[in-house]
Amino acid sequence: MKNFIKYVGGVSLLLILAVVYSACKKNGGYYDAQDQNVPFAGNTYEYLKSKPGVYDSLLVAIDRMGLKQTLTDSNITLFAVTNPSFQLALKNLNTLRRQSDKDPLFLANIDGVQLDTMVSYYIIRGKKPTDSLKLQDGLNLTSVKVGYPMHAKSIRGSASGQVGAGPEVIEFSNTKKSQFVRNWATSTTASNNIQTKNGIVHVISPDHTFGFDGFVTRLTFVPPPPNLMVTVGGTLTTNRENGGGITSGESSRKVIDGDDHTKFLCDLQGFLTMTYKLKTPEVSSVYTLISANDFQDRDPKAWTYEASNDGTNWTELHRVSNFFFEERYQQKVFRCTNTTPYLYYRINITELRNGSVFQLAEWTINKSN
């Protein structure tokens, strides 16, 4: 009896192994999972409309900016921002506005120019599935409206302590027109590859703040009045110059060239004075500074803003100490109470954030409000 039981058990085991072998042989030794990503039957705009409660805020912004047609018939990739991202951005904005006793803003009434710029970050020219983003350095992207430079890179996260064993995601970045990755603002995006009739959709993580880090600053920033260096004109002089001379790529001329992606770079040597002589005396109670592209230690930290009519006797209009730029290419507007027209204006920089090398992208002298 025992031998019979052993015999039956052995036959059963052989049958099981035969079935497994047959299945493996049929499937090439592995289970070939079928692609479940069925293309959406409509265009990208219709896809967003088909998800009520998910993309309502994005649709409001798209409709207000007149971008419906773009999402209907153009070849695009949409990095789709969900409702929580808009809610977080608006909450941060209106918290700050309440502190200043200002009325809240909503997608229906915020500055259309700023909203248009921020929405455009997420709509990219051409179809960009995940496979196209797997280059070692990722892929440079271009927005549909103004050709704004964005960037995306496909990576795999970690799982169970193993690097690269996790889900595939996309690092989607606002480059801020900088070649330095450390200056970028990046959001994690699911590698969705949702196919529509005219594009690809990837979904932005819900903890992303719409507009990257520019939503609040853009909508609370008050632009300066006209730049007198442009409207009136004049001549710039400095007590120190870049080591390469006045014609070098980072000379003093770059601090008034109207391009925040160039800069004036030199040794401070104790202090740096930049003086601008206008063609005619003008009243200035506003001036601006824009931080340069790379090392924050080179930013000015303390200075005085002064004026004169003879270039010899100077009146202090404004004094700043312990100042810090929060980011690169950031414009700061400074105001004082001057009501006197002056021929000369100067900024005398006495301290940097750290070290002895100074840099600044732009300095402007602005007309009084």
Side-chain angles (χ1 to χ4, degrees):
M1 185 66 180
K2 289 183 178 180
N3 289 334
F4 177 75
I5 294 174
K6 288 182 179 179
Y7 172 76
V8 173
V11 171
S12 299
L13 179 60
L14 288 173
L15 287 172
I16 292 171
L17 289 174
V19 171
V20 171
Y21 173 77
S22 175
C24 289
K25 185 176 180 180
K26 182 178 180 181
N27 292 318
Y30 66 93
Y31 173 63
D32 187 9
Q34 297 299 308
D35 185 4
Q36 300 299 318
N37 189 16
V38 179
F40 179 73
N43 58 52
T44 302
Y45 185 84
E46 291 169 338
Y47 171 76
L48 298 180
K49 295 285 285 186
S50 74
K51 303 293 182 181
V54 180
Y55 301 114
D56 307 78
S57 296
L58 179 59
L59 283 164
V60 169
I62 287 170
D63 289 342
R64 187 179 167 203
M65 295 301 101
L67 290 167
K68 177 180 177 179
Q69 195 66 32
T70 300
L71 270 67
T72 299
D73 59 14
S74 300
N75 286 331
I76 60 166
T77 296
L78 173 67
F79 288 85
V81 185
T82 57
N83 289 342
S85 295
F86 282 91
Q87 292 165 0
L88 182 59
L90 286 166
K91 179 181 178 181
N92 293 342
L93 173 66
N94 288 321
T95 296
L96 183 62
R97 290 180 66 83
R98 278 196 301 271
Q99 293 173 358
S100 303
D101 294 324
K102 295 180 179 179
D103 293 333
L105 290 176
F106 305 96
L107 290 178
N109 64 350
I110 64 176
D111 186 341
V113 173
Q114 304 296 349
L115 181 62
D116 188 36
T117 299
M118 287 182 280
V119 170
S120 296
Y121 290 155
Y122 302 92
I123 309 173
I124 303 300
R125 295 175 184 173
K127 298 179 180 181
K128 308 296 180 184
T130 304
D131 286 347
S132 69
L133 309 175
K134 290 182 177 180
L135 300 174
Q136 182 176 356
D137 295 326
L139 188 67
N140 293 323
L141 307 175
T142 305
S143 71
V144 291
K145 291 202 68 174
V146 295
Y148 189 86
M150 302 292 287
H151 185 274
K153 181 178 181 180
S154 173
I155 62 170
R156 281 196 177 275
S158 300
S160 300
Q162 291 185 308
V163 177
E168 190 169 32
V169 297
I170 299 171
E171 290 184 342
F172 183 53
S173 302
N174 176 359
T175 68
K176 300 187 178 181
K177 299 181 180 180
S178 171
Q179 62 180 322
F180 299 102
V181 177
R182 62 177 174 271
N183 296 331
W184 297 359
T186 299
S187 177
T188 301
T189 307
S191 174
N192 302 98
N193 289 309
I194 300 165
Q195 299 179 47
T196 69
K197 283 185 175 180
N198 66 310
I200 302 289
V201 178
H202 302 294
V203 182
I204 295 279
S205 172
D207 62 357
H208 167 74
T209 303
F210 170 71
F212 290 88
D213 56 2
F215 189 81
V216 173
T217 54
R218 278 178 173 272
L219 296 175
T220 56
F221 175 75
V222 178
N227 179 4
L228 292 171
M229 293 176 173
V230 174
T231 60
V232 176
T235 305
L236 174 72
T237 58
T238 65
N239 70 322
R240 228 168 300 291
E241 187 53 74
N242 179 272
I246 192 67
T247 60
S248 69
E250 295 181 335
S251 73
S252 59
R253 292 177 179 176
K254 301 299 180 181
V255 82
I256 60 168
D257 65 356
D259 184 354
D260 62 6
H261 280 65
T262 63
K263 67 182 178 185
F264 177 26
L265 176 75
C266 72
D267 291 326
L268 187 69
Q269 298 183 32
F271 71 97
L272 171 69
T273 302
M274 297 185 293
T275 304
Y276 197 86
K277 180 182 180 182
L278 295 168
K279 290 182 178 179
T280 58
E282 296 286 344
V283 179
S284 170
S285 59
V286 181
Y287 66 99
T288 76
L289 302 178
I290 300 180
S291 59
N293 63 332
D294 49 17
F295 304 109
Q296 62 183 17
D297 285 351
R298 298 172 176 173
D299 293 344
K301 181 180 178 180
W303 64 85
T304 56
Y305 183 54
E306 303 170 350
S308 172
N309 271 315
D310 59 11
T312 301
N313 300 295
W314 294 89
T315 299
E316 181 178 303
L317 304 178
H318 192 226
R319 177 178 290 270
V320 176
S321 61
N322 202 34
F323 173 83
F324 297 97
F325 285 104
E326 292 89 7
E327 56 187 84
R328 304 299 85 201
Y329 306 110
Q330 182 180 26
Q331 184 181 58
K332 288 288 189 176
V333 181
F334 303 92
R335 304 176 189 276
C336 55
T337 57
N338 177 48
T339 57
T340 303
Y342 288 104
L343 187 62
Y344 296 86
Y345 289 90
R346 75 180 185 185
I347 183 167
N348 187 39
I349 297 162
T350 55
E351 186 180 358
L352 305 179
R353 190 161 182 168
N354 194 27
S356 59
V357 178
F358 159 84
Q359 70 173 20
L360 190 68
E362 288 291 302
W363 168 46
T364 68
I365 301 167
N366 302 79
K367 187 177 179 67
S368 294
N369 290 325

